[in-house]
Amino acid sequence: LHSLDIKNSQPFFIIALIEGLINKNNNIIRNINKVYGNNNNGIISTISSTFLSDKGFQEEFEILRKWILEGVFYDEIIGIYNLQKAKNGMYEVKVYIENKTKTKTKTKTEYVESIREASKRLTLRLLYTPAKKKDEHYKAFKSRFPKICDFFVFLKNYSGGKDSYKKFPKLLQHIESDCIIDNVTKKIAKKYPHAPIFTIHDSVVTTEEYIDEFQDLMYSYISEYTYGLTPKLSKECWCADDEITYPYLEAA
């Protein structure tokens, strides 16, 4: 089996969201309807007047767009977070856990060996947690990208209510699944009806026989869905020939 992963996938779909609003991409607008309701003229017009037309927002967006489309976003953002190793030689990441029975969220500390993985987790936390959760990493991101950060907060707070923050990550997930599952893989399946296709979020998996054709088609169909955006794809072989083992035979 071989997989094709979209590099920097959640940031990539943020770029797809913003450019979709700029270009009036029906795929993006359809997903805004699903998440924020059919009466979305208010949210779209507010985004256009408050963010898309703002010079500072445009400048910040161009920087992030370049990093994301080149597949280096998580590497570049490391310097902004200014991550330092803890005493155990690993990187400390605080994770917010929602408490279903209370209004407050709890914090859990996790340690990871890779600075890039720590950077990725901090970014996902920035996207997925309530807008009021502000630690030193949030403040570091906001100091470098204040307009983009305000855009995230706007989408989290737009609906009002305790759980309004969940709609922004939900929107990103809707765009991702609509793109990959409902568009890209369906079109690939029509072209290669006998090819095995498995999806894991932003990852498409098939056998070695089809992987190169799948890669070309993913580039083409994602670009078609996003009106011209093409992400970096990471190709991975799940099991090389010299790594194959058969534990059930060894046990016998």
Side-chain angles (χ1 to χ4, degrees):
L1 293 176
H2 292 245
S3 66
L4 290 164
D5 301 329
I6 298 177
K7 296 190 70 173
N8 309 159
S9 62
Q10 286 291 281
F12 172 76
F13 287 108
I14 291 174
I15 298 301
L17 167 63
I18 295 172
E19 287 218 347
L21 289 168
I22 294 171
N23 300 324
K24 296 180 173 56
N25 183 330
N26 289 329
N27 297 317
I28 302 302
I29 293 173
R30 183 177 66 250
N31 282 286
I32 293 175
N33 288 341
K34 289 181 181 178
V35 176
Y36 288 93
N38 290 325
N39 184 21
N40 62 71
N41 290 331
I43 187 171
I44 292 176
S45 62
T46 302
I47 289 172
S48 297
S49 61
T50 305
F51 299 103
L52 302 185
S53 60
D54 183 88
K55 184 177 180 181
F57 180 87
Q58 294 168 4
E59 291 173 350
E60 293 176 19
F61 174 66
E62 283 305 314
I63 294 171
L64 289 179
R65 185 183 189 278
K66 182 175 183 294
W67 290 354
I68 292 166
L69 297 184
E70 290 179 356
V72 298
F73 171 80
Y74 290 124
D75 303 291
E76 293 287 352
I77 210 75
I78 287 171
I80 293 173
Y81 288 140
N82 191 27
L83 296 172
Q84 303 293 329
K85 286 186 177 181
K87 291 182 180 180
N88 61 3
M90 302 178 73
Y91 296 94
E92 179 180 303
V93 179
K94 292 180 181 178
V95 180
Y96 292 107
I97 305 171
E98 183 178 8
N99 190 328
K100 297 293 184 181
T101 61
K102 300 180 180 179
T103 58
K104 295 183 178 180
T105 55
K106 297 189 299 182
T107 302
K108 182 179 74 172
T109 300
E110 295 181 348
Y111 293 93
V112 295
E113 293 183 0
S114 165
I115 190 170
R116 190 179 186 279
E117 178 63 23
S119 172
K120 182 176 181 178
R121 293 194 187 191
L122 287 172
T123 300
L124 293 179
R125 190 184 73 190
L126 178 75
L127 301 177
Y128 279 60
T129 55
K132 63 183 179 180
K133 297 297 180 183
K134 300 176 181 178
D135 59 14
E136 68 271 21
H137 302 301
Y138 173 94
K139 292 175 182 177
F141 183 89
K142 184 174 176 60
S143 68
R144 180 62 182 85
F145 297 104
K147 300 290 185 177
I148 295 291
C149 202
D150 288 344
F151 175 69
F152 296 164
V153 171
F154 170 80
L155 289 173
K156 289 181 180 182
N157 291 339
Y158 181 78
S159 299
K162 184 183 71 172
D163 293 332
S164 63
Y165 74 93
K166 295 180 180 179
K167 288 198 173 182
F168 176 43
K170 185 178 180 181
L171 175 60
L172 297 180
Q173 292 163 359
H174 268 263
I175 295 171
E176 178 185 277
S177 63
D178 187 43
C179 176
I180 301 301
I181 298 175
D182 293 333
N183 282 270
V184 172
T185 54
K186 281 186 178 180
K187 290 176 180 178
I188 293 176
K190 287 182 180 179
K191 193 171 183 66
Y192 292 95
H194 302 295
I197 306 176
F198 313 95
T199 60
I200 306 174
H201 302 296
D202 64 299
S203 177
V204 175
V205 183
T206 188
T207 53
E208 183 177 15
E209 177 184 358
Y210 297 100
I211 193 66
D212 291 333
E213 288 85 353
F214 273 37
Q215 180 170 292
D216 292 340
L217 291 174
M218 278 190 71
Y219 280 128
S220 175
Y221 293 149
I222 291 173
S223 177
E224 180 182 297
Y225 180 91
T226 60
Y227 288 17
L229 292 177
T230 304
K232 292 289 184 181
L233 297 179
S234 175
K235 183 164 62 174
E236 180 182 356
C237 176
W238 281 14
C239 190
D241 291 341
D242 59 354
E243 294 175 344
I244 296 177
T245 59
Y246 301 93
Y248 57 91
L249 292 178
E250 294 173 2

